[in-house]
Amino acid sequence: MANQLDPHILIIYGASGDLAQRKLIPAVFDLYRGGYLPEKFALLGASRTDYTDEAFREKVLFENEFMQDKGYDEEQLKAFSKLLFYQDLKAYDGPEDAKKLKAKLEKLGKRFGTGSNYIFYLSTPPKLYSSIPKALAEVGLNKPENGWSRLVVEKPFGYNEESAKQLNEELQSVFRENDIYRIDHYLGKETVQNLLVTRFANGFFEPLWNRNYIQSVQITAAETVGVGSRGGYYDESGALRDMIQNHLLQVLAHVAMEPPIRADAYSIRGEKMKLFQSLREIKGDEVANYVVRGQYDAGTTKEGDVEAYRDAEGVPDDSMTETYVAMKFFIDNWRWAGVPFFIRTGKCLPLKVTEVVITFKNPPQAIFAGYDDYAMKCDNQLIMRIQPDEGMAMEFGMKVPGEGFRVKNVDMDFFYRDLTTKDVPESYSRLLLDCMKGDPTLYARGDSVEQAWAFVDPILKAWENNEAPLARYTAGTWGPEEADRLWDGITGASWRNPAESLTEDKHYTKL
C-alpha cells in the first residue's frame, strides 16, 4: 500500500502551533501506524520557535497531550520520531528563510531519497496564505525540477467574496490550481463522503431524491461549547463565516448536487460548482425573513455554567457578532425547485451533533387519520449522522399491535463502527492521505469557494447595515425562538430535535 505513493516530504508551517499538535501530527502518525505513508518520507516542521530536531520531536510527540490521550505505543512513537525534523524561521515569508528551508529540504531529500516532491501545509494565520507561497516561488519550491509541489491551505479562505477572489489570484499566480488543496475537515468525515454513495449507489434512494418526493432538507451543526478564551478571534468571524460558508455548504453540495459522470475530482467538483450557482440569492431586504442570527446569553450546557457571549474575554460589550445562524433557502434547478432547505448552527446548544435530515412527503391521502394524528405529520425521515456516532437511520410508520390502525414511528439504523473492526479514520488523516495521492476530490476548488461567498455576502452586508435584528438565546437551549418561524407554512414540519443516539429518545434532549 505504501509503495503506491510517491516519496515526498511534508512541510508544516506553524508546526509549534495548536492545530499541528492537536490534529496534524497525530493524523500523520496514524497514517504511519496504518502503513499508509510511502517508504521514503520525512516531515519537516517550520515555525518561529527556536527548536532543535530533538526538542521538536519531544514537544509534538512525547509531551503532546493529544498524542498521549490516544495511548500510542512508545516504541512506534520512537520509530516515527526519526522521520521528524525542524527548521526555525525568523519570518515565515522572508526570502532568507525560504533559502534556508530549501537547503534543509535538499539535505533531507538526499538522506531519505524523497527527491523534490513536497507538500507545504499552511497552519499559519490567514494573512500569510499569499506571502508564504510567493516566498516559496522565489526560490523555485513551487515548481521544483524533477518533482512536484502541492500547497494545503486551511480555512478561512478569505473574509468575503472579494478577498477570496484576491487570494485565489495570488495563489494561482505561483501554484497551479490543481496543486492547491483548500482543506475542509468536514469533507474528510466518513458520513459526508457516504452521502454520495447513499444517493448514487442505491436504486431505491436516487429515484426519490427530488422535489416530487422530498418535502424538506435540514442540516444541523450544533456545539455545546462557547467561545471560551477565543472571543477576540471569534468576534471577527461569527457563525456564518466560521461554519456555513465552508463546512455546511460543502455538506449541502453532497446532499443536493447532480450525479457526476464519474467518481473523480473533476466530475464531482464540477457538479458542486453547478449546485452553488443554483442557490437562490437572499437579497438584503429578504434577509430578515429567511435568516435568523442569534447570540447566546448566560445559561447552563452539558459543559457547565456559561457566561454570556458579550462577557467573554476579548468580546466587546456591544458586539453584534452571531453565535447562532438559522436559514431557509431554495435551490433553483429542475431537481429541487420549490423544496425548502434549512441550515442551523450555533454554540452553547444542548448537544454536540452534526446531521442531515431528509423529510419525505406524506402519502397523498391520509386514510388512517381517524385513528390518530400520525398521518398529518411528515415523519418519514432519513437521518444521516455526521458526528458523533456516525451512522444512518430511517424513520417510518408501522401499525401498533392491537385493535385498529394506530401508527407509530419505528427505526432501521446503521452505525459505521459496525462495518469495520478498525477505527473509523480521522478526517485529517483521510484528507492528508488524499493530498499525498494527488487526489483533490475532497478539497474545495477555487471557483466554488468564490461562489459560496457570493451566496453569503448579501447576508453579511445586510447584518452590517442592521437590516435584520440580532436575537438572543439562553445557553443550553436550541437557539432563539425566531428560528422556528422559518418553518411557517409547512404543515407538520419543524427542526428535528437530535438525541444522544440515532435510535433512542428522539423526541427530547437529555442534558
Side-chain angles (χ1 to χ4, degrees), residues 53-71:
D53 292 340
E54 291 74 18
F56 175 64
R57 294 165 183 166
E58 191 71 24
K59 177 176 177 60
V60 300
L61 291 181
F62 303 106
E63 296 178 356
N64 186 352
E65 62 178 307
F66 300 103
M67 300 289 288
Q68 296 170 354
D69 288 346
K70 295 189 177 184

Side-chain angles (χ1 to χ4, degrees), residues 191-257:
T191 320
V192 175
Q193 299 166 41
N194 196 53
L195 286 170
L196 299 184
V197 176
T198 299
R199 291 186 55 193
F200 303 132
N202 296 289
F204 54 86
F205 280 130
E206 178 54 27
L208 305 180
W209 215 265
N210 56 61
R211 68 187 185 282
N212 296 323
Y213 299 99
I214 291 179
Q215 179 251 37
S216 64
V217 178
Q218 57 178 289
I219 301 172
T220 293
E223 298 179 272
T224 56
V225 298
V227 295
S229 61
R230 298 173 65 248
Y233 165 81
Y234 189 86
D235 203 64
E236 297 296 320
S237 175
L240 187 62
R241 288 187 174 95
D242 188 50
M243 289 294 295
I244 292 180
Q245 184 275 330
N246 41 59
H247 299 325
L248 300 186
L249 287 185
Q250 288 291 331
V251 174
L252 169 72
H254 282 232
V255 173
M257 62 185 261

Side-chain angles (χ1 to χ4, degrees), residues 278-311:
S278 301
L279 295 175
R280 184 187 300 176
E281 179 184 358
I282 302 176
K283 299 178 181 179
D285 58 354
E286 301 172 328
V287 168
N289 295 326
Y290 287 93
V291 186
V292 174
R293 58 170 172 164
Q295 190 183 93
Y296 66 82
D297 285 326
T300 302
T301 71
K302 297 183 74 172
E303 311 296 327
D305 293 337
V306 179
E307 64 180 357
Y309 173 74
R310 291 182 179 178
D311 293 331

Side-chain angles (χ1 to χ4, degrees), residues 305-346:
D305 293 337
V306 179
E307 64 180 357
Y309 173 74
R310 291 182 179 178
D311 293 331
E313 179 183 349
V315 177
D317 293 340
D318 59 351
S319 172
M320 296 293 286
T321 298
E322 77 286 354
T323 62
Y324 175 98
V325 177
M327 61 193 307
K328 173 184 178 180
F329 59 96
F330 294 89
I331 297 173
D332 289 334
N333 63 16
W334 193 275
R335 179 183 295 268
W336 297 113
V339 177
F341 284 74
F342 299 85
I343 288 179
R344 63 173 172 172
T345 183

Side-chain angles (χ1 to χ4, degrees), residues 247-510:
H247 299 325
L248 300 186
L249 287 185
Q250 288 291 331
V251 174
L252 169 72
H254 282 232
V255 173
M257 62 185 261
E258 292 298 311
I261 297 173
R262 288 175 294 274
D264 59 25
Y266 179 83
S267 302
I268 291 175
R269 300 205 296 179
E271 293 301 335
K272 285 184 180 182
M273 179 60 180
K274 293 178 186 177
L275 187 281
F276 291 144
Q277 290 173 324
S278 301
L279 295 175
R280 184 187 300 176
E281 179 184 358
I282 302 176
K283 299 178 181 179
D285 58 354
E286 301 172 328
V287 168
N289 295 326
Y290 287 93
V291 186
V292 174
R293 58 170 172 164
Q295 190 183 93
Y296 66 82
D297 285 326
T300 302
T301 71
K302 297 183 74 172
E303 311 296 327
D305 293 337
V306 179
E307 64 180 357
Y309 173 74
R310 291 182 179 178
D311 293 331
E313 179 183 349
V315 177
D317 293 340
D318 59 351
S319 172
M320 296 293 286
T321 298
E322 77 286 354
T323 62
Y324 175 98
V325 177
M327 61 193 307
K328 173 184 178 180
F329 59 96
F330 294 89
I331 297 173
D332 289 334
N333 63 16
W334 193 275
R335 179 183 295 268
W336 297 113
V339 177
F341 284 74
F342 299 85
I343 288 179
R344 63 173 172 172
T345 183
K347 291 187 174 295
C348 290
L349 301 185
L351 293 176
K352 179 178 175 59
V353 60
T354 302
E355 66 180 22
V356 177
V357 180
I358 309 295
T359 301
F360 294 92
K361 291 182 177 180
N362 282 334
Q365 187 173 353
I367 65 174
F368 304 118
Y371 291 89
D372 59 23
D373 62 352
Y374 171 83
M376 303 306 294
K377 303 175 183 177
C378 287
D379 271 349
N380 288 165
Q381 293 183 326
L382 174 65
I383 301 135
M384 290 165 279
R385 178 67 61 82
I386 294 172
Q387 66 176 5
D389 292 331
E390 294 89 344
M392 298 176 63
M394 291 183 66
E395 288 193 352
F396 52 93
M398 292 290 288
K399 178 184 176 300
V400 176
E403 183 180 355
F405 287 96
R406 290 186 58 241
V407 181
K408 182 179 180 180
N409 255 19
V410 297
D411 305 303
M412 289 195 303
D413 60 28
F414 158 77
F415 293 90
Y416 278 96
R417 61 175 180 262
D418 298 331
L419 191 62
T420 178
T421 57
K422 299 180 180 179
D423 292 336
V424 176
E426 294 282 348
S427 56
Y428 274 99
S429 297
R430 169 64 192 273
L431 293 171
L432 281 171
L433 182 60
D434 281 355
C435 182
M436 293 174 182
K437 293 177 179 178
D439 181 0
T441 303
L442 298 177
Y443 289 82
R445 203 170 68 186
D447 55 357
S448 68
V449 171
E450 294 175 14
Q451 195 64 44
W453 274 117
F455 176 65
V456 303
D457 257 13
I459 302 171
L460 291 168
K461 290 176 182 177
W463 289 349
E464 290 170 2
N465 297 330
N466 291 320
E467 295 178 14
L470 176 69
R472 315 291 297 184
Y473 66 99
T474 303
T477 66
W478 279 109
E481 294 180 358
E482 289 85 344
D484 295 336
R485 299 173 191 163
L486 296 175
W487 292 86
D488 288 352
I490 307 177
T491 303
S494 61
W495 296 109
R496 179 180 182 272
N497 190 358
E500 294 179 340
S501 71
L502 281 170
T503 57
E504 297 177 357
D505 306 317
K506 281 189 170 52
H507 302 295
Y508 66 98
T509 299
K510 289 182 177 179

